[in-house]
Amino acid sequence: MNINDLENILKENLKDKTKEFKRVFHGRGNFYEDFSFLTIDSIDKILFITFFEEIEKEVEKKLLKSLEAIYEEHDFECLVLQRRYLNGGENEVLKGVLPKQTQAIEHGLKYQLNFSNKNIGYFADMKKGREFISSICEGKNVLNLFSYTCAFSVASINAGAKQVVNVDMAKNALNTGRENHSINALDLKKVKFLPFNILKSWSKIRKFAPYDIIIIDPPSFQKGSFAATKDYRKIIRKLDELASKECVVLSCLNAPELDSNFIKELFKEEALSFRFIRKIDNLSTFPTNNEERSLKNLVFEKA
């Protein structure tokens, strides 16, 4: 695959460009040979490029020249490059001016973005997961573990959830979560924001139980606070204490080295009252040559 092939893919994926967030090129799934270092997103008027690896200067120059032409052709107003391989994942504005307030839009809902961070505040690959929760949450009490900026909560309250309890140790992320509810004119009286280390705060989390829906969406590894290989089990072990009689769990994992069976086995060992229902398909805009190395969204139901 060469730069001309990349241009053709981008032009095809930008034909139906709208204000909504769309991944228009996804190389991280190793589906496209020679471009596994690259992702490109259309965020309303922003074209957002991410380099996950350093590449040769001459190749980078040709690639950016091509992407700048795409930017011009499709009437974007800001071109941003993130070099994620650098410690800070610095974002650089290559063209135009980055607005002070930027938002990702998904199904008409708005999510605040922060281009001063490596993680800008919104995970597009979880769209199918949010759609699933939205489809079942009306009138339900929802627990959103590792809530980050509370996108699941926004989608759930918008779809009629009775209450959502968001838990994340990052206070700044929860503050953004509050903003995300406010900019969508959602009732904050139905939402709790708990700034706690989940593994050390079960008594506080149980206070709002039983939960009809539990979302587990942790980082695969966060130094000093969470490692999926040893800590995911601790969460599954607590489910029976938190769950209502007909509780549904969405168990998420984005660690390439761990497959779906890792989660299924944990449920068999630590949460026998739950049965596996299905795996949610990933978005077609995130192609991969190995689904088990990509995002895993598994649905379990209390039997």
Side-chain angles (χ1 to χ4, degrees):
M1 180 174 170
N2 56 37
I3 289 178
N4 287 336
D5 297 324
L6 174 63
E7 287 179 359
N8 291 334
I9 292 169
L10 288 171
K11 289 177 181 180
E12 182 64 29
N13 288 339
L14 286 166
K15 280 182 179 178
D16 58 352
K17 174 183 177 295
T18 67
K19 290 185 176 182
E20 298 226 345
F21 190 109
K22 184 180 181 182
R23 175 65 49 95
V24 291
F25 184 80
H26 184 72
R28 297 299 290 161
N30 294 307
F31 187 80
Y32 298 107
E33 189 177 354
D34 299 325
F35 286 91
S36 61
F37 66 89
L38 177 67
T39 64
I40 304 173
D41 298 310
S42 171
I43 313 172
D44 192 5
K45 294 293 185 178
I46 300 170
L47 188 64
F48 181 43
I49 306 162
T50 304
F51 288 172
F52 286 81
E53 300 169 14
E54 189 171 10
I55 58 176
E56 293 179 11
K57 292 297 181 184
E58 198 59 37
V59 175
E60 178 181 310
K61 185 178 178 180
K62 289 179 181 178
L63 177 58
L64 289 179
K65 183 178 180 181
S66 172
L67 294 178
E68 286 173 7
I70 294 287
Y71 162 86
E72 298 286 352
E73 183 179 339
H74 290 85
D75 299 320
F76 287 101
E77 295 178 1
C78 184
L79 180 65
V80 180
L81 170 64
Q82 179 181 107
R83 300 180 187 275
R84 202 173 178 88
Y85 56 86
L86 298 177
N87 287 336
E90 286 86 349
N91 294 302
E92 178 185 357
V93 177
L94 302 180
K95 293 275 188 178
V97 177
L98 186 66
K100 290 184 178 180
Q101 291 289 324
T102 54
Q103 297 165 347
I105 300 174
E106 177 183 293
H107 294 310
L109 294 171
K110 300 173 184 176
Y111 300 92
Q112 294 279 31
L113 302 180
N114 183 354
F115 282 93
S116 64
N117 290 341
K118 180 180 285 190
N119 291 325
I120 63 173
Y122 167 80
F123 291 108
D125 58 349
M126 194 55 79
K127 183 177 181 179
K128 289 279 190 179
R130 287 187 285 269
E131 289 174 350
F132 169 71
I133 294 298
S134 296
S135 73
I136 64 169
C137 72
E138 186 173 2
K140 301 295 178 64
N141 187 25
V142 181
L143 174 61
N144 185 18
L145 296 175
F146 305 95
S147 60
Y148 190 45
T149 55
C150 307
F152 269 112
S153 182
V154 169
S156 298
I157 294 296
N158 183 68
K162 179 182 178 181
Q163 175 178 260
V164 181
V165 177
N166 297 289
V167 192
D168 199 293
M169 66 188 299
K171 291 183 180 180
N172 287 340
L174 289 178
N175 288 337
T176 301
R178 285 190 183 89
E179 292 179 30
N180 283 337
H181 287 80
S182 296
I183 62 176
N184 289 290
L186 298 173
D187 188 356
L188 281 169
K189 293 176 183 177
K190 297 180 178 180
V191 191
K192 308 293 182 187
F193 302 93
L194 307 185
F196 304 135
N197 182 327
I198 291 166
L199 300 178
K200 298 178 181 179
S201 307
W202 295 116
S203 62
K204 295 180 178 71
I205 295 169
R206 276 196 300 269
K207 181 180 177 182
F208 303 100
Y211 298 100
D212 305 304
I213 298 170
I214 299 175
I215 302 158
I216 310 168
D217 185 19
S220 57
F221 180 79
Q222 197 167 61
K223 188 176 181 180
S225 62
F226 189 87
T229 49
K230 66 182 182 68
D231 292 327
Y232 213 123
R233 177 183 299 275
K234 299 173 185 177
I235 298 169
I236 305 301
R237 190 178 292 157
K238 294 290 183 179
L239 289 178
D240 278 320
E241 300 175 22
L242 304 170
S244 65
K245 291 181 179 179
E246 297 180 345
C247 180
V248 174
V249 174
L250 177 62
S251 186
C252 314
L253 183 65
N254 206 3
E257 72 276 11
L258 300 172
D259 62 13
S260 298
N261 285 327
F262 170 76
I263 297 295
K264 292 177 183 178
E265 289 303 315
L266 289 183
F267 271 82
K268 287 179 182 179
E269 295 168 13
E270 305 289 354
L272 287 171
S273 64
F274 285 84
R275 62 191 175 105
F276 173 67
I277 302 300
R278 69 183 179 97
K279 180 181 177 184
I280 297 173
D281 292 337
N282 286 325
L283 291 166
S284 61
T285 49
F286 287 74
T288 178
N289 64 0
N290 186 343
E291 284 292 338
E292 285 300 323
R293 291 185 60 83
S294 298
L295 175 64
K296 279 78 68 174
N297 282 330
L298 307 184
V299 179
F300 296 84
E301 188 176 86
K302 199 168 176 66

